[in-house]
Amino acid sequence: QVQLVESGGGLVQAGGSLRLSCAASGRTVSIYAVGWVRQVPGKEREFVAAISRNDVLKYYAESVKGRFTISRDNAKNTVYLQMGSLKPEDTAVYYCAAGVSRIHSPSMVAYYDYWGHGTQVTVSS
């Protein structure tokens, strides 16, 4: 099993920045990719960004390209999502998720096997 704990959410004004962290524990050697997925109440979960284990591959949703950056510190088993130029439409609960498959695309919400509990990000206009 893998446990994921997010931190770093909060309230920020439009145009501001936030950095989310996702700390992984447990059987982390099995993880191939870690991603961020967000959800607004009443809507389906939406893929945001993902990074492969060896940092070679990074994926971004079109809506966040150029504004968000995903990175990882393997020594700390932590993945970060640096969010900049935030917009009110970025308001959501952000979930960290991890997947083990090396075949399927981490840019799909269905890819992920493990999920954190989420952290709220609110962007005020």
Side-chain angles (χ1 to χ4, degrees), residues 4-5 7 17 21 24 31-32 34 41 43-44 60 62 64 66 78 81-82 86 89 97 99 102 104-105 113-114 118:
L4 303 170
V5 178
S7 61
S17 301
S21 299
I31 297 172
Y32 174 70
V34 176
K43 294 189 177 181
E44 293 186 353
Y60 294 96
E62 285 297 325
V64 306
T78 300
L81 184 68
Q82 180 68 47
L86 283 161
E89 50 263 45
R102 295 174 182 265
H104 299 103
S105 173
D113 304 295
Y114 303 101

Side-chain angles (χ1 to χ4, degrees), residues 6 20 24 29 35 37 50 67-69 89 92-93 102 109 119:
E6 305 96 336
L20 304 182
V29 292
V37 174
R67 301 189 298 122
F68 291 11
T69 301
E89 50 263 45
V93 176
R102 295 174 182 265
V109 173
T119 185

